[in-house]
Amino acid sequence: MDLITAIKERRSCRAYLPDPIDEATIEQVLDAAVWAPSPANLQPWEFVVITGREVKERIFTTSGELKQAWFEKSGWKWVNKYNIDFLKDVPAMVCVIADPKKSGLDVFSPQGAEAYQHACAAAIQNMMLMAHSLGLGTLWFTLFDRDVVKEILGVDAGKEPVALICMGKPAQDPVQTPRKDAKGKTTYVK
């Protein structure tokens, strides 16, 4: 699969077959992640691979509680309708852990360090594209209580979980959503 095909065909997956993913495949996905760019090549990411049912159930529970709280706060009906049951059955999740101290020079920025988050996002994109090229579906999941997940996974103080990447063989073809043309979103400054 060439790169542009992978970019255009990859979609979020919320329905997975129960087939486990072998460790070698997960390692291929993580190897792609670590080739992402990062500030001063500090590589501010760590990965926790989750395959155990009990841990997935705990993440599902805390995500459900947060979803309810956000629904009550926002009143947005779609939040209440968002089904997160797939969290219990997804074959694997990869929690991407970020280290804010590995943010390069922007640790001195008056706005605060952000580059570590951008680097982790690039690693996540690499993971998702590699998984897609291997026939796996993924979902970039952020509807979780970071402090609770940090406790569940035993994440060191000073580091933070930034995303859970759900991964498995898709149970159905993902919906192909249209994209806007870049020309309408591009400005050239000379």
Side-chain angles (χ1 to χ4, degrees):
M1 175 179 301
D2 72 347
L3 181 59
I4 195 65
T5 300
I7 290 169
K8 289 182 176 182
E9 289 181 355
R10 189 223 54 83
R11 292 289 180 270
S12 295
C13 179
R14 293 177 181 85
Y16 301 92
L17 296 174
D19 308 354
I21 304 171
D22 62 78
E23 206 170 298
T25 301
I26 292 171
E27 290 297 322
Q28 279 184 280
V29 170
L30 296 178
D31 185 54
V34 300
W35 284 96
S38 65
N41 196 29
L42 292 171
Q43 303 174 40
W45 46 70
E46 295 175 17
F47 309 103
V48 177
V49 179
I50 303 160
T51 57
R53 186 155 202 72
E54 182 184 322
V55 175
K56 290 188 277 186
E57 288 276 351
R58 290 177 69 191
I59 290 170
F60 167 77
T61 299
T62 188
S63 295
E65 292 166 355
L66 184 62
K67 181 181 102 160
Q68 184 61 35
W70 285 359
F71 169 67
E72 290 171 7
K73 191 171 192 168
S74 70
W76 296 341
K77 292 181 177 146
W78 72 265
V79 175
N80 201 35
K81 293 177 185 176
Y82 183 60
N83 187 346
I84 60 170
D85 288 347
F86 61 87
L87 290 174
K88 296 183 282 186
D89 300 318
V90 66
M93 283 187 237
V94 177
C95 186
V96 180
I97 310 294
D99 186 346
K101 292 182 209 142
K102 294 183 177 180
S103 202
L105 284 174
D106 87 333
V107 295
F108 302 108
S109 169
Q111 291 82 25
E114 295 177 345
Y116 73 97
Q117 294 173 337
H118 303 280
C120 286
I124 290 167
Q125 178 74 353
N126 281 8
M127 289 172 58
M128 295 174 81
L129 289 171
M130 176 56 88
H132 177 69
S133 77
L134 296 171
L136 299 173
T138 56
L139 176 71
W140 186 329
F141 189 77
T142 58
L143 179 59
F144 61 90
D145 185 313
R146 286 166 180 26
D147 291 334
V148 174
V149 168
K150 192 172 180 173
E151 179 185 321
I152 291 170
L153 300 178
V155 175
D156 294 339
K159 296 179 182 175
E160 59 186 59
V162 293
L164 290 165
I165 307 307
C166 299
M167 187 169 29
K169 292 180 183 168
Q172 60 197 34
D173 288 334
V175 176
Q176 295 294 323
T177 54
R179 293 290 190 253
K180 295 179 180 172
D181 189 343
K183 291 177 186 169
K185 300 283 184 180
T186 306
T187 303
Y188 290 89
V189 178
K190 296 182 181 187

